Amino acid sequence: MSLDLVHLKGYNGKMRGAVKADPMKLGALFYATAGASIISGHEDNTVPQRMMQGHDDRVTAMATANRSCLLASGQAGERSDVVIWNTDSLSQLFRFQEHDDEIVQLAFSPDDALLLTVGSERDRKICVLDTSTHKVVARAAQELPKRITAVAWGPIKDRTYTFATASVDEIVIWILDPHTGRLSKQQITSGSVRREYTSLMFSDDGAWLFAGTRSADVVTVNVLRKAVQTAHPVCGSGVGALLRTPKGYLVGGGDGALIYFQPDAHWRDITPFASVPGAISSLSMTADGLGLIIGVVQGSVYRMDLATLALSTLFTAQAGGLTGVSCAAGDGSGVATSSLDGSVCLWSLQDYSLMCRAFETSEGGALSVALTPELMLSGWADGSVRAHPRATGGATVHVLWVLAGVHALTHSCGVTSIKVANSSLPPSLPPSLPPSLPPSLPPSLPPSLPPSLPPSLPPPSLPPSLPPSLPPSLPPSLPPSLPPSLPPSLPPSLPPSPSLPPSLPPSLPPSLPSLPPSLPPSLPPSLPPSLPPSLPPSLPPSLPPSLPLPPSLPPSLPPSLPPSPPPRTGASFFATGGRGGEVRVWDLHSREMVGSVKLHRAAITDLAVLDDDAHVVGSSDDHSWSVWDIHQERARASWQGQSMVKGLAVSPDKVSVVTVSLDRRIQVWDLRQREATRTITCAHAGEVSAIGFDSAGRTFASGGADQFVRVWSCATGQLICETDAHATAIAKVIYTPQDTHLISVGVDGTMAVLALTI
């Protein structure tokens, strides 16, 4: 069995220059995911992806050459390397390992002969590489630990190269002699202008340097005098990107505005000619010069036709870390993901396009999600549960209803897990009788459970006839077709009492066509063994085999039934877990709380609903996991671990539970035993944070802080296959309903679709 990455959903819109059009191939483009990969795609169809995987941490900088097939990328982390790629073969040409901590800026010189690499404020290194020999031409160190936020190359004059760097509050112009390697710098005199700079661009002749700022203006610098000339307000929010085009200098604003900037124009005459949804962070010209590729902070990439200004969406991703993932039971058409950016998205599993998206301004974002055939249910950091409708075509959907603050406590707030019932509860289920555990469960559970549970009851059948007489007093719900007269004597099996026994239900089952539908599905053991001969011919001689109760109750049933729980209108439900350790059950139709249990002392990290839809299993950061009875609203058993339990999954065999924990362990449990039946130590290099079972119970998959997704054998506990598709810790992992793929979501904001091949 192998695990192969087939699609990666994610875009690092917060990184400036994260999407670039290929200057050599029309329609081709490159973009940095929110993780460790760079993807090569095409404008016409972004579903086929060619992965460029050369980093082991998130990509933080990217640049394309101007007139050659070169691309450079840099990363964060201990190995903050710069990789130079061939864009035709997507192969690595060279790895530069001079920097530490993080690469913050990359840029090719106008002739593509040199590559400028800049490290973070901790690294403080500036290097210039020869792209043909891969040797360092020049290097310099920053005097102060300032983060460089933008770089730009100027025109080449007299075989001398010029480039500029901008930090939070200063601009420096550098002069490089490539033959001697001499690198000199001069700081720009800003005078009274104090700005935080975001982007840089030289004029065509190199006489002017334009600097975009967070203050939504463009500062013009006289390169010869090394001084600030003026500042022009250009947009309603900070400047996100600058680009030289045949029609002029283009500005992309944080308000989505696109403006052509002329340094000699009056600022009142600078107006937007177009806009896009979101804050622009990347601008790139297509190879034919007829279109723009635009990336926004919110995670979308657009193409604009410069002739018609028509805007089309190339792809969309969520801008924040992903927290949850869910498929509807038996429905392989879509998968839902929740994000800290305040969005919940539904993605197609056929072409991985966006089916619909919901966005809320709730502080802290969405922490969990559960998908049904009709709804996207999500739990939020403000303690609320929200429901959005499913849609197609990339539509933005609005909230249908909100359960506000249902997990907002005085000491904690947030819905950390949400799960939906496997199927609707049988409407004929008597509310006073809690359903039994699945047939495969043993008659006894660990010591903390009751000594026995009622076994599954065999289907009954009614005797062919009732006695010719009934007691003088009948319930008002009995039909008028019963015989009006009573025989002189009752059969031996009928109690001599003049009235029916107290255990007699008030009405007959709803399955009988001639009787009211509100009657229970079974009769008590005291019912007479015969029906009257005048029973209507439409009455079936026996009840359907699906009825749960037999003519006699099991010996383990207590003599008196427990109090009835609240009625479950509509029968289907969902369960939620909160940061305070509480688990609550909600009727999906009436949205009323029908159960609540507070057993854990720390946040609920995961939930699972057993197949019987009568028990919920939950894990917690308090080092334990438990099984709760929904109907009786109490814990049936609890198991203690040695570390925070970060997730769990229930096997289809209904008795096996797998938990993952902060101490890097995967443990397999049997509900009939107190101790784990198998423990996999050091399952990941970091904490194990996600777990999921396939529908057949043959394998389970785990995800950890080491960025790996691993598949294990249920029978032997051996590792079967693995892959690394994320740049940071994995938040959740699930199987698709057909078990053909795994879907993992990461804190880095990426969703990976992994094909399982036997």
Side-chain angles (χ1 to χ4, degrees), residues 225-446:
R225 296 180 179 179
K226 306 295 188 298
V228 170
Q229 184 85 6
T230 185
H232 290 78
V234 291
C235 54
S237 187
V239 174
L242 296 172
L243 180 67
R244 271 198 311 269
T245 73
K247 295 183 63 175
Y249 306 119
L250 184 62
V251 179
D255 56 356
L258 290 166
I259 309 103
Y260 280 119
F261 167 74
Q262 298 297 335
D264 55 351
H266 192 274
W267 67 270
R268 294 183 184 275
D269 300 327
I270 302 176
T271 57
F273 68 89
S275 64
V276 298
I280 296 174
S281 58
S282 299
L283 286 175
S284 181
M285 185 71 68
T286 58
D288 58 4
L290 300 179
L292 285 175
I293 304 299
I294 306 167
V296 299
V297 172
Q298 287 75 12
S300 296
V301 174
Y302 305 97
R303 186 191 189 279
M304 178 175 286
D305 188 297
L306 289 176
T308 64
L309 302 184
L311 189 68
S312 59
T313 302
L314 299 183
F315 60 86
T316 299
Q318 289 166 285
L322 299 185
T323 56
V325 59
S326 175
C327 287
D331 179 11
S333 63
V335 58
T337 55
S338 55
S339 172
L340 295 177
D341 69 351
S343 67
V344 176
C345 291
L346 180 62
W347 309 96
S348 168
L349 284 178
Q350 279 66 51
D351 60 6
Y352 311 112
S353 62
L354 178 68
M355 298 177 68
C356 64
R357 181 175 188 169
F359 186 81
E360 304 290 341
T361 57
S362 170
E363 183 179 355
L367 304 181
S368 53
V369 66
L371 188 62
T372 76
E374 298 85 18
L375 297 174
M376 297 185 295
L377 299 175
S378 50
W380 296 73
D382 63 1
S384 301
V385 174
R386 291 175 170 86
H388 297 86
R390 293 179 58 161
T392 57
T396 298
V397 295
H398 302 286
V399 66
L400 290 177
W401 47 263
V402 181
L403 298 177
V406 295
H407 283 279
L409 308 179
T410 56
H411 62 285
S412 62
C413 186
V415 183
T416 53
S417 185
I418 182 168
K419 288 294 188 296
V420 181
N422 299 291
S423 60
S424 297
L425 289 175
S428 60
L429 184 68
S432 60
L433 258 177
S436 61
L437 291 179
S440 61
L441 284 183
S444 61
L445 290 175

Side-chain angles (χ1 to χ4, degrees), residues 86-146:
N86 182 300
T87 56
D88 278 337
S89 62
L90 302 187
S91 59
Q92 298 183 34
L93 298 178
F94 178 67
R95 180 178 291 271
F96 182 56
Q97 299 175 311
E98 181 76 15
H99 294 280
D100 300 313
D101 185 58
E102 181 183 354
I103 305 298
V104 296
Q105 298 294 328
L106 293 170
F108 285 92
S109 62
D111 60 359
D112 297 335
L114 302 176
L115 174 65
L116 174 64
T117 68
V118 180
S120 68
E121 61 272 27
R122 295 180 60 185
D123 178 69
R124 298 168 63 177
K125 296 175 186 175
I126 299 175
C127 298
V128 180
L129 295 177
D130 188 312
T131 57
S132 59
T133 65
H134 305 147
K135 293 184 178 180
V136 177
V137 175
R139 60 166 54 91
Q142 300 181 68
E143 297 177 358
L144 298 175
K146 293 185 177 181

Side-chain angles (χ1 to χ4, degrees), residues 662-703:
L662 195 66
D663 58 3
R664 303 185 292 168
R665 291 187 179 189
I666 298 177
Q667 292 184 288
V668 183
W669 306 79
D670 191 309
L671 291 176
R672 297 164 292 191
Q673 302 179 26
R674 294 302 304 174
E675 301 298 329
T677 58
R678 177 178 291 116
T679 298
I680 304 173
T681 59
C682 299
H684 287 261
E687 68 175 83
V688 192
S689 51
I691 189 72
F693 252 114
D694 69 3
S695 60
R698 292 188 295 265
T699 63
F700 57 87
S702 63

Side-chain angles (χ1 to χ4, degrees), residues 19-31 39-46 48 50 64 71 87-88 90 284-288 292-293 301 303 314-315:
V19 60
K20 300 285 187 181
D22 191 331
M24 307 301 293
K25 294 181 182 178
L26 183 61
L29 55 84
F30 304 93
Y31 63 93
I39 293 177
S40 172
H42 199 278
E43 298 175 17
D44 297 334
N45 185 4
T46 58
R50 298 172 66 193
T64 53
L71 181 144
T87 56
D88 278 337
L90 302 187
S284 181
M285 185 71 68
T286 58
D288 58 4
L292 285 175
I293 304 299
V301 174
R303 186 191 189 279
L314 299 183
F315 60 86

